[in-house]
Amino acid sequence: MATGERTRDWVPPWPLDIGATVGMLRRGAGDPSFTYGRDGSVWRGVHTPDGPGTLTIRSDGTTISGRAWGSGAEWLLDQMPDLLGARDDPAALTPRDPVVGELVRRSEGLRIGRTDRVWEALVPAILEQKVVGAEAFRAWRYLVRRFGDPAPGPVPDTMRVPPPREEWARIPGWEWHRSGIEPVRMRTIRGATAMDVERHPDRLRMLRGVGRWTEAETRSRAVGDPDVVNVGDYHIPTLVGLTLIGEPVDDDGMLELLEPYAGQRQRIIRMVERHGARPERRGPRMTVRDYRSF
């Protein structure tokens, strides 16, 4: 056993697909705070209320085995069932048509978990505002590698724990520029450090620059909100429309389609993202901007 290692075994009383449940926490393939092991395990670096920690989770098909290191190890193991959806209630969704019924059938094991770390969900959501994923993931990689702590435990040297809230306010302007982030998103993140978002996850839209989309991206991950809707997303309305009625819709159309499932709309979106219809690819992809050259 590695020095400082803590362990916990947990048997979920329902089917659990770990990848489907926690995979959305990874911010791009090179995320320094999230990686997959060759044995199918998931590894996360987290800045917990008790300090930095690393958690790895693996399933043998029945039992979930958790291992953790660092000052945040005990917190991570205590929180592990919630991360994997212990507080979620998929049965609250009642299919009203065959399409949703098929989504539910194919999504067995998908739970809406919660990290209980609002800041670590809010920052990457702000970085992803109105840009292609590659641009936001590049910035997240740079900033976490540059200012995050090395993840404790037997992890790769490149693995990091994201900085705590107060550290983001101290990042110099030239480092934001090197990350590829323009001043608007930089100011939004700096301004958000004034609020203790861990205590006030219901007040995120009071922050300047944080709208409905950013709130949904944050709350769906941090507090496991099964109902928030990603209004303003570039792809999701199209996916919802194609899946539910066979044609793309805009935000208003998406809200109308999801209205019968009020209370469970994020669950529908999560299932659509994994198992829904996909549009034909036409035309060039969106351009990845690089503010570092400006």
Side-chain angles (χ1 to χ4, degrees):
M1 179 179 291
T3 303
E5 179 179 315
R6 301 289 185 270
T7 64
R8 177 181 184 178
D9 287 338
W10 178 63
V11 180
W14 19 255
L16 174 63
D17 184 331
I18 292 179
T21 299
V22 305
M24 67 179 306
L25 302 178
R26 184 173 73 156
R27 306 292 184 160
D31 186 347
S33 65
F34 186 115
T35 190
Y36 289 107
R38 293 182 178 178
D39 59 357
S41 58
V42 171
W43 293 72
R44 295 182 63 234
V46 183
H47 202 284
T48 78
D50 299 327
T54 302
L55 172 70
T56 181
I57 303 169
R58 187 171 183 269
S59 173
D60 64 5
T62 302
T63 301
I64 307 298
S65 297
R67 301 161 61 205
W69 299 265
S71 55
E74 293 292 347
W75 187 93
L76 287 167
L77 292 174
D78 288 344
Q79 199 271 339
M80 184 176 75
D82 287 344
L83 176 71
L84 297 174
R87 291 203 228 175
D88 188 31
D89 181 18
L93 171 61
T94 301
R96 296 174 178 270
D97 62 74
V99 173
V100 174
E102 179 64 11
L103 287 174
V104 170
R105 185 192 68 79
R106 296 182 65 189
S107 300
E108 183 181 43
L110 168 64
R111 313 284 295 191
I112 297 182
R114 53 185 294 155
T115 66
D116 291 312
R117 304 308 296 147
V118 179
W119 183 257
E120 289 185 7
L122 176 62
V123 170
I126 294 173
L127 293 177
E128 292 170 20
Q129 289 175 344
K130 300 180 180 180
V131 298
V132 296
E135 179 181 328
F137 298 155
R138 179 188 64 206
W140 174 252
R141 287 195 303 269
Y142 178 85
L143 293 167
V144 173
R145 286 172 180 166
R146 183 76 175 83
F147 298 99
D149 293 326
V155 302
D157 291 341
T158 55
M159 194 167 180
R160 294 288 185 271
V161 174
R165 176 170 55 97
E166 57 273 14
E167 290 299 321
W168 288 89
R170 302 189 185 108
I171 296 177
W174 64 83
E175 294 285 11
W176 290 99
H177 185 74
R178 287 174 180 172
S179 78
I181 293 299
E182 88 291 352
V184 173
R185 284 179 288 164
M186 176 191 71
R187 288 194 293 267
T188 299
I189 292 173
R190 281 180 168 176
T193 64
M195 177 189 288
D196 185 351
V197 295
E198 309 300 337
R199 295 180 58 189
H200 303 291
D202 298 326
R203 299 172 60 185
L204 297 179
R205 289 172 67 184
M206 295 179 63
L207 296 168
R208 185 173 184 179
V210 173
R212 193 168 179 179
W213 183 88
T214 306
E215 177 190 46
E217 290 288 312
T218 303
R219 287 184 56 82
S220 62
R221 292 168 170 82
V223 300
D225 190 329
D227 191 50
V228 285
V229 180
N230 311 65
V231 172
D233 193 271
Y234 185 77
H235 301 287
I236 289 176
T238 296
L239 297 180
V240 170
L242 287 173
T243 301
L244 298 188
I245 62 172
E247 61 184 52
V249 297
D250 58 13
D251 281 332
D252 289 339
M254 174 178 66
L255 291 171
E256 183 177 351
L257 290 173
L258 295 177
E259 194 279 331
Y261 296 100
Q264 298 294 313
R265 295 174 297 177
Q266 178 63 209
R267 193 181 310 281
I268 297 287
I269 290 171
R270 197 81 62 87
M271 293 190 298
V272 164
E273 287 183 303
R274 289 191 64 81
H275 302 296
R278 291 290 184 272
E280 294 182 12
R281 182 169 294 169
R282 297 176 180 175
R285 295 177 179 232
M286 292 179 65
T287 302
V288 179
R289 300 172 298 177
D290 193 344
Y291 288 95
R292 295 171 297 182
S293 63
F294 291 2

